[in-house]
């Protein structure tokens, strides 16, 4: 549901107020929500709204609240998609380091990758083992994907 201006919200309110009493009952609201795919019971609406009917101001605040809730839910989905993209990219980077494709990065593979990137020197060669040891949770002398992930996002 995308936000609309207050004039349009007022028009929706007027359409829902079928008897013209200046109030939208929970029955009228329930019918409206059902037409836009939001099914709820009378009891749920009573708990949510806290009243048996809404005047135009209450309706505007109700509309604003469900719009903001929908935007937050959409942002959660966007964040989830972004996390999947980052993980896919990280998997590709992991494969660059894991030159033999065994699912682990050993010291030699790390050294080769750093050399290809122009980041290796004699001092770095001594540090490859210590770099791996810092993130090697199971102490097997190599990094699996989870350990590599931790290393890449450590700050």
């Amino acid at each position: 549901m995308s936000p609309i201006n207050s004039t349009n919200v007022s028009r929706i309110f007027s359409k829902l107020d079928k008897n013209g009493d200046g109030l939208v009952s929970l029955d009228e609201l329930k019918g409206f929500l059902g037409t836009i795919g939001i099914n709820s019971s009378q009891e749920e609406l009573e708990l949510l709204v806290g009243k048996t009917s809404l005047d135009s101001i209450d309706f505007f605040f109700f509309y604003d609240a469900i719009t903001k809730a929908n935007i937050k839910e959409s942002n959660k989905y966007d964040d989830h998609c972004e996390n999947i993209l980052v993980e896919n990219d990280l998997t590709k980077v992991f494969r660059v380091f894991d030159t033999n494709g065994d699912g682990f990065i050993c010291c030699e593979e790390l050294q080769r990758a750093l050399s290809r990137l122009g980041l290796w020197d004699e001092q770095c060669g001594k540090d490859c083992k210590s770099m791996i040891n810092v993130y090697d949770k199971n102490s097997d002398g190599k990094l699996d994907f989870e350990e590599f992930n931790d290393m890449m996002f450590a700050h």
Side-chain angles (χ1 to χ4, degrees):
M1 189 179 324
S2 62
I4 56 176
N5 65 35
S6 58
T7 303
N8 289 331
V9 173
S10 294
R11 285 185 188 148
I12 293 169
F13 178 83
S14 295
K15 295 272 187 198
L16 293 176
D17 181 17
K18 297 194 188 305
N19 63 4
D21 66 353
L23 298 171
V24 171
S25 70
L26 291 183
D27 283 334
E28 292 167 325
L29 184 59
K30 184 178 178 204
F32 168 69
L33 292 174
T35 62
I36 61 171
I38 301 173
N39 297 312
S40 60
S41 69
Q42 188 78 17
E43 294 78 25
E44 288 173 324
L45 279 178
E46 284 179 28
L47 286 172
L48 182 65
V49 174
K51 300 178 179 188
T52 58
S53 60
L54 301 173
D55 62 20
S56 60
I57 294 171
D58 291 332
F59 181 78
F60 181 81
F61 285 122
F62 176 78
Y63 173 82
D64 190 50
I66 62 171
T67 301
K68 286 178 181 172
N70 190 47
I71 289 169
K72 282 183 183 177
E73 195 60 37
S74 175
N75 287 341
K76 285 181 191 175
Y77 175 78
D78 292 345
D79 290 345
H80 176 71
C81 289
E82 185 176 328
N83 289 341
I84 290 171
L85 292 174
V86 168
E87 188 169 321
N88 287 341
D89 289 343
L90 195 58
T91 300
K92 290 175 187 173
V93 172
F94 182 81
R95 288 182 186 140
V96 168
F97 282 84
D98 180 19
T99 54
N100 68 3
D102 66 353
F104 299 97
I105 299 171
C106 66
C107 186
E108 294 77 24
E109 289 172 315
L110 180 59
Q111 184 176 326
R112 278 194 299 269
L114 293 174
S115 293
R116 285 193 311 249
L117 296 170
L119 301 171
W120 184 83
D121 59 25
E122 289 302 316
Q123 182 61 36
C124 182
K126 295 175 187 171
D127 288 343
C128 279
K129 284 184 183 179
S130 61
M131 284 173 62
I132 286 177
N133 287 338
V134 169
Y135 299 100
D136 182 16
K137 293 177 188 171
N138 61 3
S139 301
D140 63 357
K142 50 193 172 185
L143 299 177
D144 60 26
F145 181 76
E146 183 181 325
E147 294 165 335
F148 178 74
N149 185 15
D150 293 344
M151 181 179 80
M152 296 302 286
F153 289 105
H155 295 277

